Amino acid sequence: MSVSTAAIDPSVCAPLPVLGKDVTVPLVTGGEVTYAALDYAASAPALQRVWDDVAAYAPYYGSVHRGAGYLSQLSTDLFENSRRTVAEFLGCRADDQVVFTRSTTDSLNLLAAAIPAGCQVFVFETEHHASLLPWRDAQVTYLNAPRTPAQAVETLERALADRDPYGPALVCVTGASNVTGELWPVKELAAAAHAHGARIVLDAAQLAPHHPVDIAELDVDWVAFSGHKLYAPFGSGVLAGRSDWLLAAEPYLAGGGASRKVARRADGGVDVDWHTTAARHEAGSPNVIGVYSIASACKALTEAGFDNLVAREQELVNRVREGLAEVPEVQVLSLFGDDAPRVGVISFVVRGWNSSHFAAALSAEYGIGVRDGLFCAHPLVRTLLGSDPQDPGECGAPEAEPGERSLNAIRVSFGAGTPDEHIERFLRAVSELVSDGAQWKYRTEDGRCVPDRGTAAQV
């Protein structure tokens, strides 16, 4: 079986330099190969520009908002300038706030802690667990997976029409699926939410690294995303949007930085005057380097020309989809169909293969890193695979043995730093594994499929 090797148009845009682009890894069959990082949807490699900026600043970092010394003042300016950079990157409105968090998960949990009492929350079952699970203290309506963008809007409109029209309501929706990469009709969903008196938060974890996000243009109330998916290091995230619910809520974390004044009362208690800025929800010593790295990534993507990056990534998406379509045993997972616009996130299963076995062989025999599992979106993947919601299987820990069909899938994801060669190697590997089988034997160890060292397959 052969897969065509149509070249990516080099005139569109070159890949951006990223850390690890020259790292080599050993192959179980012998020798080494440059590692092909195709798991961007989990964590994208940091841009070299981001790492250089952080390295240049690192000797100068100091406490933020709390010091009179030069390094503290410099770090405070850098921290607040980073807030403005992120606000500009997201197209924030004049009265929006940018709150720095640890991740998308942290951002959405912060918002969940700030929603008014009695708030009704509407979430599609297709969401990542970070969007699906934080709303434990609210009245939550889980919406069935739509099969077209129009159906998504219709489903939301019907649900909102049945809600209590006098209470607060919030819709939480992804911008791009972390399983299928498909773009959701965010602007239309925002219009539907607002028409029924609800607000909307956009989970942009998979959208912001691949596509411009403009809060004002999309007319969403909040946006959440993570630095480690936006080509920055781990440990930083953003919640940006309207300030009123955030300022009315108790601080997400109580402590230094969130308080303006603390005084003892005559009765022995404590009176606290909380900040009325983003600092209200940023208690403790902030991750200055993480925040700066996000701002650096925002600048790097903007200066590189985001439209050019989007165009190149679309060519990569088309190349992967065309290559996988040439392998009849491969089934690409999709909610909205082949014509749906999508970012560089594609999940699939291979007939006759356990997904963990296939992903392990890609790594061990070809030096390609992908993801296998349920991708922290269990209801969605089970829906796409047509399996029962009660079927076994965990995110990244299938129990099936090599060669046995699993209830999980394989995800390949890429972005601004992906070289053409990584895509071509991946497609060649898929074709060869399907036609020739793995060259090595594998076993399940601690829930993962791993090479059985020193035991080649009999082919």
Coordinates of all heavy atoms in Angstrom, one line a residue, residues 123-126 141-147 151-152 155-156 184 335 383:
V123 N -24.3 23.1 28.7 CA -23.1 22.5 28.1 C -23.4 21.4 27.2 O -24.2 20.5 27.6 CB -22.2 22.1 29.3 CG1 -20.8 21.7 28.7 CG2 -22.0 23.1 30.4
F124 N -22.8 21.4 26.0 CA -22.9 20.2 25.2 C -22.1 19.0 25.7 O -21.0 19.2 26.3 CB -22.4 20.6 23.7 CG -23.4 21.4 23.0 CD1 -23.3 22.8 23.0 CD2 -24.4 20.8 22.3 CE1 -24.1 23.6 22.3 CE2 -25.3 21.6 21.6 CZ -25.2 23.0 21.6
E125 N -22.6 17.8 25.5 CA -21.8 16.6 26.0 C -20.5 16.5 25.2 O -19.7 15.6 25.6 CB -22.7 15.4 25.8 CG -22.9 15.0 24.3 CD -23.6 13.7 24.2 OE1 -23.7 12.9 25.2 OE2 -24.0 13.3 23.1
T126 N -20.3 17.2 24.2 CA -19.1 17.1 23.4 C -17.9 17.9 23.9 O -16.8 17.8 23.4 CB -19.4 17.7 22.0 OG1 -20.1 19.0 22.1 CG2 -20.3 16.8 21.2
T141 N -27.6 21.8 32.5 CA -28.3 21.1 31.4 C -27.3 20.6 30.4 O -26.6 21.4 29.8 CB -29.4 21.9 30.7 OG1 -30.4 22.3 31.7 CG2 -30.1 21.2 29.6
Y142 N -27.2 19.3 30.2 CA -26.2 18.7 29.3 C -27.0 18.5 28.0 O -28.0 17.8 27.9 CB -25.6 17.4 29.8 CG -24.7 17.7 31.0 CD1 -25.1 17.3 32.3 CD2 -23.5 18.3 30.9 CE1 -24.3 17.6 33.4 CE2 -22.7 18.5 32.0 CZ -23.1 18.2 33.2 OH -22.3 18.4 34.3
L143 N -26.4 19.0 26.9 CA -27.1 19.0 25.6 C -26.4 17.9 24.7 O -25.2 17.7 24.8 CB -26.9 20.3 24.9 CG -27.4 21.5 25.7 CD1 -27.1 22.8 24.9 CD2 -28.9 21.4 26.0
N144 N -27.3 17.2 24.0 CA -26.8 16.1 23.2 C -25.9 16.6 22.1 O -26.0 17.7 21.6 CB -28.0 15.3 22.5 CG -28.8 14.5 23.6 OD1 -28.3 14.2 24.6 ND2 -30.0 14.3 23.3
A145 N -25.0 15.7 21.6 CA -24.1 16.0 20.5 C -24.8 16.4 19.3 O -25.6 15.6 18.8 CB -23.1 14.9 20.3
P146 N -24.6 17.6 18.7 CA -25.2 17.9 17.4 C -24.4 17.3 16.3 O -23.2 16.9 16.4 CB -25.1 19.4 17.4 CG -23.9 19.7 18.1 CD -23.8 18.7 19.2
R147 N -25.1 17.1 15.1 CA -24.4 16.5 14.0 C -24.2 17.6 12.9 O -23.6 17.2 11.8 CB -25.2 15.4 13.4 CG -25.1 14.1 14.3 CD -23.7 13.7 14.4 NE -23.6 12.4 15.2 CZ -22.4 11.7 15.3 NH1 -21.4 12.1 14.6 NH2 -22.4 10.6 16.0
Q151 N -27.5 22.5 13.7 CA -28.2 21.7 14.8 C -27.7 22.1 16.1 O -28.5 22.1 17.1 CB -28.0 20.2 14.5 CG -28.8 19.3 15.4 CD -28.6 17.9 15.2 OE1 -27.7 17.3 15.7 NE2 -29.5 17.3 14.4
A152 N -26.4 22.5 16.3 CA -25.9 22.9 17.5 C -26.7 24.2 18.0 O -27.1 24.3 19.1 CB -24.4 23.2 17.4
T155 N -30.3 23.3 18.9 CA -30.4 22.6 20.1 C -30.3 23.6 21.3 O -31.0 23.5 22.3 CB -29.3 21.5 20.2 OG1 -29.4 20.6 19.2 CG2 -29.3 20.8 21.6
L156 N -29.3 24.5 21.2 CA -29.2 25.5 22.3 C -30.4 26.4 22.4 O -30.9 26.7 23.5 CB -27.9 26.3 22.0 CG -27.6 27.4 23.0 CD1 -27.4 26.8 24.4 CD2 -26.4 28.3 22.6
W184 N -16.6 25.2 15.9 CA -18.0 25.3 16.3 C -18.5 26.7 15.9 O -17.7 27.7 15.8 CB -18.1 25.1 17.8 CG -18.2 23.6 18.1 CD1 -17.2 22.7 17.8 CD2 -19.2 22.9 18.7 NE1 -17.6 21.5 18.3 CE2 -18.9 21.6 18.8 CE3 -20.5 23.3 19.2 CZ2 -19.7 20.6 19.3 CZ3 -21.3 22.4 19.7 CH2 -21.0 21.0 19.8
L335 N -17.9 14.9 13.8 CA -19.3 15.3 14.2 C -20.0 15.9 13.0 O -21.2 15.5 12.7 CB -19.3 16.2 15.3 CG -19.5 15.7 16.8 CD1 -19.4 16.9 17.7 CD2 -20.7 14.9 17.0
T383 N -19.5 8.6 21.7 CA -20.6 8.9 20.8 C -20.0 8.7 19.3 O -20.7 8.1 18.5 CB -21.1 10.4 20.9 OG1 -21.8 10.5 22.2 CG2 -22.0 10.7 19.8

